[in-house]
C-alpha cells in the first residue's frame, strides 16, 4: 500500500516530523523541504442545474538537495518513511547528475514568518457538499423566472503549508480560500453578465446577491447598439482593473530589467526604477497584513511575506529581486506580489459613472495575451457586460471589443478611482487582490467582437 | 510499503523499481471492484474508477547554466458516480480497498447533494466493454535517458543561439508519463501508458543603445512520443539560426498595416486551428456548460450539418489515433475506444466532440448515439469531462508546396511559429502573431518583417482559405498545457496541418496600434 497523509492530519507537529525524517535521510550538504496539503471541494453548475463536482485531498512533499552547487529536486505525494527516503535518494541522484550552478544560493537560516491575520477561517474549511449545493441553489433560484440561464463555480479549500531546511529554517501556515463566480446568459443568447469573488471567509459569500448582479447585467445587455472600435474613455470595474494590475506585477522582475529585456529597461542601460510611469493616482503594494487579502506567509523562495510598495504616486518604487540577483545588486530580495492592493479614492463606482460625459463601462476582460514585451502591449477582449455611458448615466449596452493596450499606458491615463474591494477573476490571477474601479482617459479598442 | 527501494531512478534500476512497485502495490482490479461495489451498494446507478500514477521530469536552463532539474510524481485514485441522476466525484492519494469503498460512498453523498439542484438526470450513451491495454509507441523512454545527455543538449542549444547572435537564450525539456487504470460498472478494465515529450528554447537579442529587444522561440513542437523526437529535431542548428534571426528582427522593417494575403506554415497554423476550430466544436461549450469561464461557441447546435464554416477545400478531422498526437490514446477516460471523425467536411460544420453524457443530446441530428470518446482528466484527482482530441486540417491530395502557395501571392506575409494568441469567448474574433513573418512580394518570399499580428473572424477567415498544401507539407503542432474547466485542468493536444493560404486578412502593426 502507499503511505499517504490526509491533509487534515498535517499538524505542525506532523509537519516537523516529516521535515526531520527527510533531513535525517539526507546526505547532501543542504536539504530543503516543502510540504503542501490541500483539502476541499467544488461544484459547477450550468443551465440552472448542477453539473460536475468533487471532493479532493492530497499532500505533497518537495525535496531539494544540494551537494556543493549541484541541486536536484523531487516532489512526491507518498509520505511513508520508505517513500520519503527513496525520494531523498532520487533528489540526490539528480543533484549528482546536475552541473554546478554558479548562481546557487545557500539555504535560508531561521526566518520570522508573519502571522497572517484571518488567513484561516474555520467556516470556510468546513463547507461540505450539501452546503455548496445549497449556496449554488440560492443562485439558481435567483435566476428562475428571469429568462436567464446561470452557470457558475464554487470551490473552497483548506491549505496547510510547511517549510524547513538543513540550515534550521521552519515555517508552518494554515489558511483557507474560497472562489465563487457566476455568469448569467439570457435564454436567447443576446445578453451576458458576470460576477465573481475570491475570499478567505465564507460568511461573505452571498451567492444570491452575486447572481443578481450577473442577471441584471445580462438583462441590461440583451439589446445592444453597435459601436465602432476606437480610443474611448473607460470606467473599468475592479475585475477589469485586476487584469491590468496583474500584468504589471507579473513583469516587475529586476534581472530582466537590468538585462535590457523588460518594459522597465531604460534605453542606454539601467532601469526605470524611480521613474514615474503611471498616473500619480496609482499606488500599488503587497501587504500580508491586509484583512481582505490574506495570503501566504512566505514566498516560493522561502522569503517571509512583507509589505512591498511597487508603485507610489505612479513612480516605480521597487523591482522584484530574487535572492541571487539581489545579492549581485546588493539589495534586499523581495517576496514578490503575494497579494495586490491598489489605493483608491472616496468614491463609488456610480460616482465614476456620474463624472463621465461619454465613455465605456467595462465589466471584465478575457483572453489577455502579451503582444510586445517592450511596451507591455497586450491584447484581450471585453465580455459579460459592456455599456455606453452618456452624460453621467449608463445609456445602453454595446458590442464587445478586442483591445490592444498596455497596462502602463492605461494606468497613466487614470482620472478617478473608487473605494477598493476584493475581486476574484481568473483573468487577473488568483492571488488575493483588493482594487478600486478606475476611470481612465483613453483605452484602445481595435476591432468589434460579435461574441456575447 | 516500498521496502527502501528507489522510488524513481535512471536506467535499469527504474525499470526494476517500477516492476517491484507494481507487485507491492494493491491489485488495481481489487481496489477498483471495491469502489464499484460500494458505489452500487450506496445507491449509485453508474460508477467508474481511475487509478493513476503521473510522472514529470522538467529541466530548465539559461546560457551556460542549468537552472533546475525537477521530477514530480503523484499517485492516487478518483471515483465518479451517478446517483439520483447527478454526478458525484471523490479522490484520494490513498489507494487501498478500504479507501476505495470510502471514496465511493463519499462520491455518492456528493451526487445526492447535487441531485437537489440538477435539472435532468444524467443519461450515458452505450459503450462496448473492453479488457485491454494500450501504450504510446516510443523508441526511447525519456525517463531512461541519462540526465547528462539532456543537460548537454540544452547547453549546446543555448551556446548555439549565442553564437548566432542572441544576447540570451533559455531552454527546457518537459517529459510526462501517465500510467492510467480505468474500470467501470459497465465491466471494462483498461490499462494505459501515455508518454509525452517537449523540448523548447527562446533566444533574445538586445540592442542596449536603443533599448530594443527581440526574441525568437523554437519551431519545435511537443509530441506524444519518446526522447527520440527531441534527438531528431536538431535544436542546436535551429538555435544558431534563431539567434541570428532574433538579431535580424531588431533591424527588420516594421510591417505596413493593411489587408494582406497570408501563407501560414504548420508551425504557426496549428494554434489558429486549436483556437478557432478545436474549441468551438466542443459540445459542452456550445450548450453553455463552460459559459462561466471558457465561454460558449458561435457553432450552436442549430448550425449542425448546414453552417458554412469555411471554403470547400477545408476539412477538419478529429483523430484520437494520430501517430505522435498528444491527445492520442487507446481509450478515453470513460472507456470509449479512440477513433476518428469529421468535424468540418468540405467547409460545412458536420459534428461536435462528445462524451458519453453528451452524445444523446445531438443524436437526433447526427444519427449517432455513441460517444466520440473525448472524455479526459488531467490527474486522478480531477473529474473527467469533455476535452479536445487531435483536430487536424486535412491536406489537399493535389496540393502544392509552401513555395507554390507563396507563388500565388502578390502582396502578403509568410508566417512561421506561434507567438501571441487570443480569441473571444464565443470563438469569433481572434488575433495571432508569429515567431517569423516574411514579406511576400510578387510571388517571392523576401525580407523579415517585425511588429506583425493579424485579426480575423473565424468563419470569414476559413472561407478566405483558397489553397491548402499537399501531404508533403503536413506537420504536427501542439499545445502541451491547454486549460479548460473549473477547477482548470490541463490537456495536451496536437493539430496536424499542411501549409495554407488565406486571402485579404487584416494585418496590424503592433507598435503603431496605440494611437
Amino acid at each position: 500500500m502507499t503511505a499517504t497523509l490526509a491533509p487534515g492530519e498535517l499538524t505542525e507537529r506532523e509537519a516537523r516530523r516529516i521535515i526531520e525524517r527527510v533531513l535525517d535521510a539526507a546526505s547532501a550538504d543542504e536539504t530543503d523541504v516543502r510540504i503542501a496539503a490541500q483539502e476541499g471541494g467544488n461544484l459547477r453548475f450550468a443551465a440552472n442545474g448542477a453539473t460536475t463536482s468533487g471532493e479532493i485531498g492530497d499532500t505533497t512533499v518537495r525535496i531539494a538537495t544540494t551537494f556543493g552547487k549541484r541541486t536536484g529536486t523531487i516532489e512526491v505525494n507518498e509520505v511513508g518513511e520508505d517513500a520519503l527516503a527513496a525520494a531523498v535518494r532520487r533528489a540526490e541522484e539528480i543533484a549528482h547528475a546536475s552541473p554546478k550552478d554558479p548562481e546557487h544560493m545557500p539555504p535560508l537560516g531561521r526566518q520570522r514568518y508573519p502571522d497572517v491575520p484571518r488567513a484561516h477561517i474555520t467556516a470556510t474549511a468546513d463547507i461540505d457538499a450539501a452546503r455548496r449545493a445549497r449556496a449554488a441553489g440560492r443562485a439558481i433560484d435567483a435566476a428562475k423566472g428571469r429568462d436567464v440561464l446561470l452557470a457558475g463555480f464554487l470551490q473552497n479549500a483548506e491549505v496547510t503549508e510547511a517549510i524547513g531546511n538543513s540550515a534550521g529554517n521552519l515555517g508552518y501556515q494554515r489558511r483557507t480560500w474560497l472562489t465563487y463566480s457566476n455568469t448569467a446568459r439570457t435564454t436567447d443568447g443576446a445578453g451576458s453578465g458576470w460576477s465573481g469573488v475570491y475570499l478567505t471567509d465564507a460568511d461573505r459569500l452571498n451567492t444570491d446577491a452575486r447572481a443578481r448582479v450577473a442577471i441584471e447585467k445580462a438583462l441590461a445587455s440583451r439589446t445592444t447598439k453597435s459601436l465602432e472600435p476606437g480610443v474611448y474613455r473607460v470606467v473599468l470595474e475592479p475585475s477589469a482593473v485586476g487584469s491590468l494590475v496583474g500584468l504589471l506585477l507579473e513583469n516587475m522582475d529586476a534581472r530582466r530589467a537590468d538585462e535590457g529585456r523588460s518594459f522597465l529597461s531604460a534605453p542606454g542601460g539601467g532601469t526605470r526604477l524611480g521613474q514615474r510611469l503611471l498616473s500619480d493616482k496609482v499606488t500599488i503594494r503587497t501587504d500580508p497584513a491586509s484583512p481582505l487579502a490574506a495570503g501566504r506567509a512566505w514566498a516560493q523562495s522561502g522569503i517571509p511575506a512583507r509589505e512591498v510598495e511597487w508603485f507610489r504616486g505612479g513612480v516605480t518604487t521597487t523591482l522584484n529581486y530574487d535572492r541571487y540577483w539581489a545579492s549581485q545588486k546588493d539589495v534586499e530580495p523581495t517576496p514578490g506580489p503575494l497579494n495586490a492592493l491598489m489605493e483608491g479614492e472616496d468614491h463609488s463606482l456610480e460616482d465614476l459613472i456620474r463624472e463621465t460625459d461619454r465613455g465605456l463601462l467595462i465589466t471584465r476582460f478575457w483572453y489577455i495575451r502579451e503582444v510586445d514585451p517592450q511596451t507591455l502591449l497586450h491584447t484581450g477582449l471585453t465580455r459579460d457586460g459592456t455599456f455606453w455611458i452618456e452624460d453621467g448615466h449608463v445609456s445602453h449596452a454595446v458590442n464587445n471589443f478586442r483591445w490592444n493596450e498596455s497596462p502602463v499606458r492605461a494606468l497613466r491615463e487614470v482620472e478617478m478611482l473608487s473605494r477598493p474591494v476584493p475581486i476574484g477573476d481568473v483573468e487577473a490571477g488568483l492571488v488575493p487582490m483588493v482594487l478600486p474601479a478606475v476611470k481612465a482617459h483613453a483605452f484602445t479598442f481595435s476591432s468589434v467582437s460579435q461574441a456575447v | 510499503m516500498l521496502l527502501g527501494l528507489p522510488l524513481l531512478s535512471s536506467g535499469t534500476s527504474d525499470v526494476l523499481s517500477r516492476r517491484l512497485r507494481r507487485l507491492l502495490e494493491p491489485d488495481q482490479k481489487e481496489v477498483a471492484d471495491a469502489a464499484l461495489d460500494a458505489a452500487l451498494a450506496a445507491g449509485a446507478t453508474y460508477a467508474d474508477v481511475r487509478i493513476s500514477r503521473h510522472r514529470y521530469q522538467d529541466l530548465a536552463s539559461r546560457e551556460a547554466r542549468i537552472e533546475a532539474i525537477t521530477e514530480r510524481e503523484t499517485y492516487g485514485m478518483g471515483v465518479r458516480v451517478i446517483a439520483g441522476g447527478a454526478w458525484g466525484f471523490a479522490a484520494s492519494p490513498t489507494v487501498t480497498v478500504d479507501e476505495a469503498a470510502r471514496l465511493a460512498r463519499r462520491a455518492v453523498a456528493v451526487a445526492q447533494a447535487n441531485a437537489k439542484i440538477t435539472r435532468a438526470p444524467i443519461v450515458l450513451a452505450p459503450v462496448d466493454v473492453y479488457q485491454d491495454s494500450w501504450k504510446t509507441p516510443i523508441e526511447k523512454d525519456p525517463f531512461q535517458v541519462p540526465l547528462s545527455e539532456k543537460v548537454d543538449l540544452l547547453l549546446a542549444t543555448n551556446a548555439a543561439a549565442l553564437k548566432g547572435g542572441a544576447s540570451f537564450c533559455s531552454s527546457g525539456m518537459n517529459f510526462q508519463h501517465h500510467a492510467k487504470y480505468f474500470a467501470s460498472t459497465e465491466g471494462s478494465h483498461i490499462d494505459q501508458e501515455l508518454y509525452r515529450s517537449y523540448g523548447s528554447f527562446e533566444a533574445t537579442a538586445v540592442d542596449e543603445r536603443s533599448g530594443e529587444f527581440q526574441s525568437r522561440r523554437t519551431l519545435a513542437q511537443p509530441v506524444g512520443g519518446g526522447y527520440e523526437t527531441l534527438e531528431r529535431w536538431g535544436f542546436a542548428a535551429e538555435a544558431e539560426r534563431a539567434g541570428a534571426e532574433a538579431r535580424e528582427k531588431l533591424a527588420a522593417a516594421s510591417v505596413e498595416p493593411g489587408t494582406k494575403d497570408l501563407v501560414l506554415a504548420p508551425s504557426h497554423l496549428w494554434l489558429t486551428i486549436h483556437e478557432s476550430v478545436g474549441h468551438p466544436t466542443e459540445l459542452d461549450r456550445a450548450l453553455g456548460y463552460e459559459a462561466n469561464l471558457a465561454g460558449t461557441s458561435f457553432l450552436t447546435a442549430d448550425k449542425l450539418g448546414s453552417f458554412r464554416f469555411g471554403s470547400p477545400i477545408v476539412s477538419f478531422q478529429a483523430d484520437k489515433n494520430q501517430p505522435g498526437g498528444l491527445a492520442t490514446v487507446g481509450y478515453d477516460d470513460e472507456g470509449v475506444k479512440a477513433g476518428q471523425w469529421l468535424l468540418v467536411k468540405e467547409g460545412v460544420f458536420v459534428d461536435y466532440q462528445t462524451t458519453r453524457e453528451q452524445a444523446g443530446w445531438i443524436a437526433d441530428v447526427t444519427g449517432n448515439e455513441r460517444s466520440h470518446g473525448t472524455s479526459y482528466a488531467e490527474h486522478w484527482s480531477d473529474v473527467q469531462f469533455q476535452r479536445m482530441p487531435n483536430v487536424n486540417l486535412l491536406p489537399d491530395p493535389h496540393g502544392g508546396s509552401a513555395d507554390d502557395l507563396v507563388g500565388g501571392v502578390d502582396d502578403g506575409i509568410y508566417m512561421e511559429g506561434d507567438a501571441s494568441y487570443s480569441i473571444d469567448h464565443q470563438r469569433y474574433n481572434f488575433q495571432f502573431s508569429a515567431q517569423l513573418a516574411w514579406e511576400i512580394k510578387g510571388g517571392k518570399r523576401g525580407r523579415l518583417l517585425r511588429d506583425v499580428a493579424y485579426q480575423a473572424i473565424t468563419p470569414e477567415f476559413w472561407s478566405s482559405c483558397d489553397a491548402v498544401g499537399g501531404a508533403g507539407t503536413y506537420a504536427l503542432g501542439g499545445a502541451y498545457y491547454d486549460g479548460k474547466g473549473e477547477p482548470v485542468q490541463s490537456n495536451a493536444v496536437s493539430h496536424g496541418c499542411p501549409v495554407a493560404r488565406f486571402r485579404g486578412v487584416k494585418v496590424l502593426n503592433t507598435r503603431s496600434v496605440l494611437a
Side-chain angles (χ1 to χ4, degrees):
Chain A
M1 64 171 282
T2 52
T4 56
L5 184 73
E9 297 169 4
L10 187 64
T11 59
E12 188 163 4
R13 186 174 169 187
E14 179 63 20
R16 279 173 183 256
R17 200 176 63 78
I18 292 173
I19 290 167
E20 284 166 8
R21 184 177 287 175
V22 171
L23 296 179
D24 285 347
S27 62
D29 301 333
E30 302 161 6
T31 302
D32 182 85
V33 189
R34 310 291 173 93
I35 311 170
Q38 178 164 313
E39 178 129 48
N42 63 74
L43 170 61
R44 303 184 78 184
F45 55 98
N48 294 350
T51 56
T52 59
S53 65
E55 297 198 335
I56 301 108
D58 196 19
T59 301
T60 60
V61 181
R62 189 177 182 89
I63 301 164
T65 61
T66 305
F67 294 92
K69 289 179 177 288
R70 303 172 192 271
T71 300
T73 304
I74 190 163
E75 182 180 296
V76 296
N77 73 334
E78 290 161 283
V79 298
E81 192 165 348
D82 294 331
L84 286 175
V88 168
R89 276 200 299 280
R90 179 57 187 154
E92 293 183 349
E93 281 178 28
I94 296 170
H96 284 304
S98 299
K100 288 180 184 172
D101 180 2
E103 299 183 9
H104 173 72
M105 295 297 292
L108 288 168
R110 188 67 193 255
Q111 303 290 301
R112 284 176 63 91
Y113 292 118
D115 183 17
V116 179
R118 298 189 63 74
H120 185 276
I121 307 286
T122 303
T124 306
D126 289 347
I127 294 175
D128 60 9
R131 181 153 176 219
R132 280 189 290 276
R134 284 197 300 275
R138 282 193 293 276
I140 291 168
D141 285 346
K144 286 179 180 162
R146 302 298 308 276
D147 204 16
V148 295
L149 295 173
L150 197 70
F153 177 60
L154 170 60
Q155 183 177 19
N156 65 291
E158 180 180 53
V159 179
T160 307
E161 289 186 321
I163 184 172
N165 65 26
S166 51
N169 192 25
L170 266 179
Y172 179 87
Q173 187 194 23
R174 189 161 268 193
R175 60 182 194 278
T176 53
W177 58 266
L178 177 153
T179 181
Y180 176 78
S181 59
N182 53 209
T183 301
R185 294 178 59 79
T186 57
T187 52
D188 59 5
S192 182
W194 176 90
S195 171
V197 73
Y198 177 95
L199 299 167
T200 54
D201 185 353
D203 289 341
R204 296 167 53 87
L205 181 54
N206 297 330
T207 51
D208 43 351
R210 297 185 196 281
R212 282 194 294 274
V213 171
I215 292 163
E216 295 309 324
K217 279 182 182 283
L219 295 172
S221 62
R222 186 177 226 163
T223 305
T224 60
K225 291 185 182 176
S226 297
L227 185 66
E228 290 296 308
V231 179
Y232 294 105
R233 177 173 272 117
V234 288
V235 173
L236 305 174
E237 292 198 16
S239 287
V241 174
S243 296
L244 301 182
V245 169
L247 297 177
L248 277 180
L249 296 184
E250 284 169 14
N251 286 280
M252 299 302 290
D253 185 63
R255 185 170 188 172
R256 292 186 81 83
D258 285 322
E259 290 176 343
R261 45 179 176 156
S262 161
F263 82 102
L264 292 165
S265 304
T271 73
R272 294 183 162 173
L273 184 67
Q275 292 183 17
R276 194 164 85 77
L277 301 182
L278 311 175
S279 158
D280 60 10
K281 289 179 178 288
V282 176
T283 294
I284 301 171
R285 61 195 179 87
T286 288
D287 185 357
S290 166
L292 293 178
R296 290 188 155 86
W298 57 83
Q300 198 66 30
S301 59
I303 297 171
R306 61 175 167 80
E307 185 173 6
V308 180
E309 188 177 81
W310 305 103
F311 295 93
R312 161 65 57 186
V315 175
T316 315
T317 47
T318 313
L319 303 184
N320 195 17
Y321 287 87
D322 63 26
R323 291 181 62 216
Y324 171 74
W325 203 242
S327 73
Q328 297 299 298
K329 297 294 174 182
D330 200 22
V331 298
E332 280 294 305
T334 42
L338 296 175
N339 64 14
L341 312 171
M342 180 171 166
E343 290 185 2
E345 296 175 326
D346 191 18
H347 303 296
S348 65
L349 172 65
E350 290 69 30
D351 292 337
L352 272 57
I353 295 168
R354 199 173 299 120
E355 294 297 319
T356 303
D357 289 338
R358 291 165 60 79
L360 283 165
L361 173 63
I362 307 293
T363 297
R364 66 186 294 225
F365 293 135
W366 165 247
Y367 219 131
I368 303 165
R369 291 294 182 274
E370 186 177 80
V371 177
D372 185 351
Q374 185 100 46
T375 57
L376 221 54
L377 181 79
H378 282 70
T379 190
L381 298 120
T382 63
R383 73 180 273 191
D384 302 323
T386 305
F387 302 94
W388 182 248
I389 303 169
E390 187 85 31
D391 296 331
H393 298 282
V394 175
S395 166
H396 55 266
V398 297
N399 46 261
N400 281 310
F401 289 105
R402 168 169 299 287
W403 51 266
N404 276 270
E405 187 56 84
S406 164
V408 182
R409 213 284 286 263
L411 292 175
R412 198 161 58 216
E413 305 282 348
V414 172
E415 297 175 324
M416 197 172 172
L417 303 168
S418 75
R419 290 177 285 275
V421 296
I423 70 152
D425 190 343
V426 170
E427 280 296 306
L430 272 181
V431 298
M433 288 184 164
V434 182
L435 307 167
V438 165
K439 180 184 165 198
H441 175 69
F443 201 92
T444 307
F445 299 94
S446 53
S447 61
V448 167
S449 161
Q450 297 163 263
V452 174
Chain B
M1 290 296 179
L2 294 171
L3 304 176
L5 291 165
L7 185 68
L8 282 171
S9 59
S10 292
T12 52
S13 63
D14 183 37
V15 178
L16 183 65
S17 80
R18 275 191 286 142
R19 284 180 185 158
L20 283 169
R21 187 169 55 198
R22 287 292 286 269
L23 288 173
L24 295 165
E25 281 171 0
D27 179 74
Q28 294 185 121
K29 184 173 185 305
E30 188 185 343
V31 172
D33 286 347
L36 300 178
D37 291 346
L40 295 176
T45 54
Y46 168 84
D48 57 41
V49 185
R50 289 174 299 110
I51 303 171
S52 56
R53 183 177 294 277
H54 308 267
R55 293 195 296 155
Y56 303 84
Q57 187 183 70
D58 303 305
L59 294 88
S61 79
R62 59 169 290 173
E63 291 88 59
R65 174 183 166 232
I66 295 294
E67 294 181 295
I69 302 177
T70 305
E71 291 185 350
R72 291 177 290 137
E73 176 160 339
T74 181
Y75 178 57
M77 68 176 161
V79 179
R80 183 178 70 153
V81 305
I82 298 174
W87 286 119
F89 177 76
S92 166
T94 305
V95 182
T96 64
V97 165
D98 288 347
E99 181 71 352
R102 190 191 71 82
L103 278 184
R105 290 190 291 271
R106 193 171 179 188
V108 170
V110 170
Q112 286 167 342
N114 296 344
K116 296 182 175 68
I117 55 168
T118 296
R119 285 216 313 177
I122 308 292
V123 178
L124 298 181
V127 66
D128 293 332
V129 174
Y130 300 97
Q131 318 287 327
D132 201 0
S133 62
W134 187 90
K135 183 180 175 184
T136 306
I138 57 169
E139 294 172 27
K140 273 193 177 179
D141 181 345
F143 291 86
Q144 300 296 314
V145 174
L147 286 170
S148 58
E149 275 187 40
K150 298 166 183 168
V151 165
D152 289 347
L153 179 54
L154 291 175
L155 297 182
T157 299
N158 297 349
L162 300 184
K163 183 182 170 198
S167 311
F168 305 100
C169 185
S170 296
S171 59
M173 293 182 187
N174 310 90
F175 303 104
Q176 300 180 4
H177 175 234
H178 306 274
K180 303 161 64 152
Y181 175 80
F182 171 86
S184 77
T185 49
E186 308 280 10
S188 286
H189 292 267
I190 299 166
D191 242 325
Q192 298 194 87
E193 280 192 79
L194 313 182
Y195 283 89
R196 297 174 185 146
S197 298
Y198 185 30
S200 62
F201 70 81
E202 181 175 56
T204 301
V206 176
D207 180 348
E208 194 171 292
R209 186 183 52 77
S210 66
E212 290 278 321
F213 61 97
Q214 289 285 337
S215 294
R216 156 51 164 105
R217 276 207 321 263
T218 183
L219 306 184
Q221 300 291 333
V223 293
Y227 192 73
E228 68 279 359
T229 59
L230 271 67
E231 289 180 319
R232 288 175 189 148
W233 178 257
F235 278 99
E238 193 208 359
E240 185 167 350
R241 195 167 67 247
E245 287 167 344
R247 182 68 54 188
E248 190 181 347
K249 280 166 84 171
L250 284 169
S254 195
V255 70
E256 189 68 33
T259 301
K260 297 179 188 295
D261 296 340
L262 303 181
V263 178
L264 303 179
S267 60
H268 172 88
L269 186 58
W270 74 266
L271 185 50
T272 309
I273 293 169
H274 175 84
E275 300 290 9
S276 69
V277 186
H279 281 307
T281 52
E282 295 168 331
L283 184 56
D284 52 0
R285 260 178 206 273
L287 297 181
Y289 281 70
E290 295 292 326
N292 189 50
L293 181 62
T296 56
S297 172
F298 75 94
L299 287 175
T300 46
D302 57 302
K303 295 187 172 79
L304 194 56
S306 60
F307 181 74
R308 172 58 64 182
F309 183 89
S311 63
I313 60 170
V314 168
S315 290
F316 291 101
Q317 185 179 49
D319 189 350
K320 299 275 287 184
N321 301 129
Q322 181 162 33
L326 290 162
T328 298
V329 293
Y331 298 86
D332 79 347
D333 281 347
E334 51 187 10
V336 177
K337 198 170 179 62
Q340 302 169 319
W341 68 104
L342 284 173
L343 297 166
V344 173
K345 184 179 181 183
E346 295 170 357
V348 177
F349 165 51
V350 294
D351 208 347
Y352 285 107
Q353 307 158 38
T354 58
T355 63
R356 291 188 67 198
E357 179 185 1
Q358 299 168 341
W361 296 346
I362 52 168
D364 57 338
V365 182
T366 61
N368 178 12
E369 294 187 345
R370 296 256 169 168
S371 164
H372 280 309
T374 65
S375 179
Y376 178 82
E378 182 181 359
H379 289 133
W380 56 266
S381 53
D382 301 306
V383 67
Q384 58 269 59
F385 71 125
Q386 196 275 303
R387 295 310 304 264
M388 199 187 297
N390 307 306
V391 172
N392 307 321
L393 173 62
L394 297 181
D396 181 345
H398 310 293
S401 66
D403 286 345
D404 292 337
L405 269 60
V406 167
V409 173
D410 186 47
D411 176 18
I413 302 174
Y414 178 72
M415 301 174 98
E416 294 179 280
D418 59 273
S420 183
Y421 55 100
S422 171
I423 191 163
D424 71 35
H425 59 288
Q426 288 191 310
R427 305 279 148 176
Y428 280 118
N429 176 313
F430 59 70
Q431 178 174 316
F432 291 95
S433 55
Q435 293 301 320
L436 296 164
W438 308 91
E439 187 175 54
I440 303 172
K441 287 288 184 192
K444 301 282 185 200
R445 196 171 91 168
R447 61 184 179 165
L448 195 59
L449 298 172
R450 53 177 279 184
D451 310 327
V452 183
Y454 65 91
Q455 282 183 2
I457 304 299
T458 297
E460 294 173 11
F461 177 79
W462 288 107
S463 294
S464 78
C465 181
D466 79 335
V468 170
T473 71
Y474 188 88
L476 216 55
Y480 217 44
Y481 308 104
D482 179 35
K484 182 183 170 187
E486 293 182 287
V488 174
Q489 291 184 44
S490 181
N491 178 34
V493 58
S494 292
H495 301 286
C497 55
V499 65
R501 186 171 64 207
F502 302 84
R503 300 291 190 185
V505 180
K506 178 181 172 183
V507 171
L508 309 180
N509 181 305
T510 58
R511 276 294 164 89
S512 65
V513 71
L514 288 182

